[in-house]
Amino acid sequence: MVDYKKLWILLLEKRITKPQFRLMLGLSPATMTKLNKNEFVSMEVLVRICSALKCDIGDIVEISITD
């Protein structure tokens, strides 16, 4: 399971709205929907987000392991 709560908090701290974020990275509406629903997105997307926000992957996503 993935959780992008850290991403949304980081955007708030940087005063970036979700529409600004989507346009800034050129993300498709489908990718934004996946992020909003805590669904898997490609590693390429995660790297683009980290590059744009100048952060590490652990700053935007948490992964929980269930047995």
Side-chain angles (χ1 to χ4, degrees), residues 4-66:
Y4 299 106
K5 183 176 18 175
K6 287 181 169 185
L7 170 61
W8 309 130
I9 292 169
L10 186 59
L11 290 180
L12 285 172
E13 290 172 353
K14 292 181 177 276
R15 300 188 189 284
I16 300 171
T17 65
K18 286 184 180 182
Q20 289 171 330
F21 173 70
R22 188 177 81 75
L23 292 174
M24 185 171 98
L25 275 95
L27 299 176
S28 70
T31 298
M32 281 300 294
T33 298
K34 286 181 178 184
L35 290 168
N36 281 313
K37 291 183 174 185
N38 290 320
E39 295 177 356
F40 292 109
V41 296
S42 72
M43 183 61 76
E44 177 188 354
V45 169
L46 296 176
V47 170
R48 283 173 42 204
I49 292 170
C50 289
S51 294
L53 298 178
K54 297 178 178 35
C55 66
D56 189 49
I57 196 164
D59 298 326
I60 62 170
V61 63
E62 283 187 0
I63 301 169
S64 60
I65 307 298
T66 57

